Amino acid sequence: MSRTLQPQSADQNSGSIDITLVVNVHAGIDYLKRTMLSLEEASRFAASFGLRCELLFVMDLSPPELLNWVETYRSDAFSTKRIIEVSNGSLGLSRNDGLLGAMGGIVLFCDEDDLVSYNMVCECYFLAKAEGPKAVVVPEYFVVFGDGFYIQRYFGTGTYSAISFMADHPFTSRICIHQSVGKFLLYSDVRLSSGYAYEDYHFNSKLAALGFRFVVAPKTIIFYRRRRLGLQYKMQSISTNQIPPTPLFEPPTYLKVCARDYIQRDTLHQLHKQTMPKAAEFFSDAACLEFTHAANAIDPGIDIKDITSAPIGTNLAMALTPGIAYYRACGWIGSARFSDVVILPFLSRAGGEKYILNIINAIQKADANARPLVLCGQQFGANSWVEELPRNAVFLNLPSLHPELTNEDIDVLTLRLITSTASSARIHLKPCEYAHRFVEKFGRLLKDNELYYYRFCDGNTTVDGLTFVDGFSFKFLSENARILTGVIADNKSIVGYDLTRFDAGKTKWNVLHTVVEPLTQPKTIEARQPIFRRRLFWIGRLDRQKRPDLLLLIAEGLRSASSDVHIDVYGAPLLEAFDVTVFANYPNLSYHGECNGFEQIPIDSYDALINTSSFEGLPISILQAFSAGLPAIAPAIGGIGDVVVSGETGFLVKGDDEPELISGYMNAISLLYSDAKEFLRLRRNALDLITKNHSPQRFAERLADVFEIPMIFELTSRPQVLELSNND
């Protein structure tokens, strides 16, 4: 609700208004007198050119003493004065009230505590009239004083690049536009409580999206008062320092608006280097010096000693890297919209990735309109398994978009991609630095999205024989579970662990056993009969978590026991270095290199899988071994006990130290080969567990419960996927 007070001017009805000065006022009574002295000077100077200026105060929740000051304020510098009293509590909405209520055809936005060079009003007016209704007039200089001193010089369309909007605001809130703009475009209500900020940055981005030109009024200056603990500080401390979703970042619009600048990006880089200003250039200009002198006469806080030593920059110095990277991403996305966003560190052939890909494929099978966007945000070598994605997926390896991207850039790109192309999508988060960092920064902005966090296991570290749980995932859940829609685990063990430590939000935890297709049939197992091959196989990453070094001790133990059991090793180092040549020192170990799929292993050549991990969820390798009718010998950790039951589907190995573990493995291997008929029963039980608990139908039923989507009974076949390269 607003209240408009009547114009106060002796000649208010004679002639038309040329330009309206909209002054937004909230609680700046300590500074308003100096602001008005500055605007009076600028209005009188404009009047010397025949211009009639309207002064329009927009009082937003202003205290009575300030409203009284404005109501009793008189000045012959303005042709008319009006007051609009509002209760918006929002600078954006109050600017709209000023824009829509202005009597002048040109509107200049002003703030309660800033000063202007006295040529500001007339220069902005004449330039706005000359450039037409799709022009945004901005000052040439922005001089910060008060709590710090800084000079910024602005360049307009043709020199600055719209690509820079991705990194920051290339202009200021103090713009001059045609009043007719208010008929089709208004400021958004950007409240700090939303997590977003900068209604001016947002509004200018919308103008850029519509093709407006930003033109610089030469030799004009805004003297911006930076107040200690003022609005700028509140924005930085309360908000995420990001603007709300804007049409500019819609991929088709961004591609159109930024096409010329992207093509000429190398030229822009060179141009920007050549136009870096020096403070001396500002003060060597007689006009700038005169305007600063006049402002100092009104407010000595505009101290010449401080300003002459202040740093100076331009909107050309803004980083283009994020915008260039976003342009490349938009080129791959086009007009696509996404139902699901998968956030991974990288795409590798690992159990966690396989688990999530199974879910994404199942969702796409359930809903033909579903489409995933897969984002990888950490530096890595060649990504693999893109062929496992749904056919209509878009895969973006964000670090490859530009070699100079920082982690902060990648997080902002992720936010912009989600809000512009997947505003109501399910977001799937694999535990990693990238996912944690992104959610901690921007998770509260994704109120229309469903966030699902995948929980597999906690790592551990041993110090002086004591095992400590790594808190990487647990700490994230402790601080962020409240904004998550669900926590999805591949095993019951980790859920039980968490729910003994969390009281709030317990219903968010779900166990969803992954789907595994049988690789054999009961009749095939029977046909082989209880015949031993005397060979075991190990498969996985040759990283610390999987403990390939333990294989060496097991091999040595088998040799010492004169056992003829042989172990074949499949895999390669991924996250850490491991010297694979050490396997050659053990005659009963054979290293076969990296394996691109369980199906490539000659499963009928083996009797069982051996797993030596130090921490796990529910390894997909064990489930795949069961699907081939092979039991498993594995440590009693994580979710392994959900499926490996000693004497039923394999053998669990327990041990608190290395000698005890080695003894446990030796005993398990001995038990495996102790009774051929029992071995056949283990094989049947292993396959039976897969067909009962991990079938497509069972998987579909649980998937429907967790994500509240229609039930599906089969997965998609391996599709093609659009994969990003680093080429332009």
Side-chain angles (χ1 to χ4, degrees), residues 3 59 62 166 295 355 372 470 483 490 504 511 523 613 678 705:
R3 177 171 68 94
M59 312 293 293
S62 300
M166 179 57 62
Y355 179 81
D470 293 341
I483 65 173
D490 68 343
V511 176
K523 62 181 182 181
S613 296
E678 279 296 296
D705 290 341

Side-chain angles (χ1 to χ4, degrees), residues 15 24 43 113 164 190 230 246 331 447 453 490 529 551 650 671 689 704 725:
N24 288 96
S43 183
D113 51 1
S164 60
V190 184
T246 167
K447 297 180 178 65
Y453 185 75
D490 68 343
Q529 298 182 352
L551 279 175
L671 286 172
L689 182 143
S725 71

Side-chain angles (χ1 to χ4, degrees), residues 347-350 353-354 357 383-389:
L347 191 52
S348 63
R349 295 183 179 276
E353 282 77 1
K354 179 67 173 177
L357 294 183
N383 286 280
S384 55
W385 259 358
V386 291
E387 72 277 3
E388 296 284 341
L389 292 169

